[in-house]
């Protein structure tokens, strides 16, 4: 499940600086720009772990995965990541073609519109589903679209999946397009869907993470 949801958003999106730079303990590069991956309470950034690198391998065809965060409970089992199911995590990633592109506010709007079209129009979703193997998905449902910060556009999306045995999994995700340091990045947060409370929980967690990311950069 964790791979399938990520692949759906990654395929749709495909086609530490500033005053706190000296305080950042985890800096990565997106092209020539340094990006700070902040510390988030209750979460662990573990992109360098071997098992995480195996999980994100399918995503690397379209762009680099800069950060991958697991909650404390899942992190205890990080060595077995490919053999367990987990449902609370987020990742920060980009696209190779935009690594050194100086993006503007207008690009933020274009990129967000492109993501929405890829996820929700008939042809775009059909192309995504072709890459999902034996797992089948119902068309995503857009729950809400808003802007938590001036340089962030967020969509809350409900998705259902069926594996080859017919088992259903429901996930709600926050797909964020972020303009930071003249670069467009994506931050996607996923939690298991269990009714309205899980949506409210995701919104709160996503806002905390987005604020931490922007404040660090």
């Amino acid at each position: 499940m964790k791979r399938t949801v990520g692949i759906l958003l990654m395929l749709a999106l495909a086609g530490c600086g500033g005053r706190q730079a000296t305080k950042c303990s985890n800096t990565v590069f997106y092209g020539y720009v340094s990006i700070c991956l902040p510390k988030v309470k209750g979460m662990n950034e573990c992109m360098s772990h071997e098992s995480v690198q195996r999980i994100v391998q399918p995503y690397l065809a379209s762009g680099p995965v800069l950060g991958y965060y697991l909650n404390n409970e899942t992190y205890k089992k990080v060595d077995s990541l490919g053999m367990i199911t987990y449902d609370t995590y987020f990742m920060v990633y980009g696209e190779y073609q935009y690594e050194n592109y100086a993006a503007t506010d207008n690009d933020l709007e274009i990129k967000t519109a492109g993501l929405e079209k890829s996820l929700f129009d008939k042809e775009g979703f059909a192309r995504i589903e072709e890459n999902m193997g034996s797992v089948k998905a119902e068309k995503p449902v857009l729950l809400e679209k808003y802007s938590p910060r001036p340089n962030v556009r967020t969509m809350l999306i409900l998705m259902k999946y069926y594996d080859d045995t017919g088992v259903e999994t429901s996930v709600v995700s926050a797909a964020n397009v972020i303009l930071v340091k003249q670069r467009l990045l994506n931050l996607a947060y996923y939690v298991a869907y269990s009714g309205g409370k899980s949506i409210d929980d995701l919104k709160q967690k996503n806002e905390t993470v987005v604020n931490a990311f922007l404040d660090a950069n």
Side-chain angles (χ1 to χ4, degrees), residues 28 49 99 158 194:
V28 294
H49 197 283
E99 279 184 308
L158 177 64
S194 57

Side-chain angles (χ1 to χ4, degrees), residues 5 64 88 117 159 168 173 195:
V5 180
T88 301
K117 178 177 174 60
M159 305 175 186
E168 176 186 309
S173 64

Side-chain angles (χ1 to χ4, degrees), residues 92-142:
V92 181
Y93 52 94
E95 296 181 57
Y96 296 126
Q97 60 182 323
Y98 295 123
E99 279 184 308
N100 291 305
Y101 175 72
T104 65
D105 290 340
N106 187 54
D107 294 307
L108 176 62
E109 303 301 337
I110 293 173
K111 181 72 177 295
T112 304
L115 171 60
E116 184 173 359
K117 178 177 174 60
S118 295
L119 285 171
F120 301 109
D121 81 349
K122 184 177 180 180
E123 292 183 2
F125 181 72
R127 287 193 298 271
I128 293 169
E129 197 171 33
E130 287 176 0
N131 292 277
M132 295 175 63
S134 60
V135 177
K136 297 297 181 182
E138 289 189 1
K139 191 171 182 179
V141 175
L142 179 60

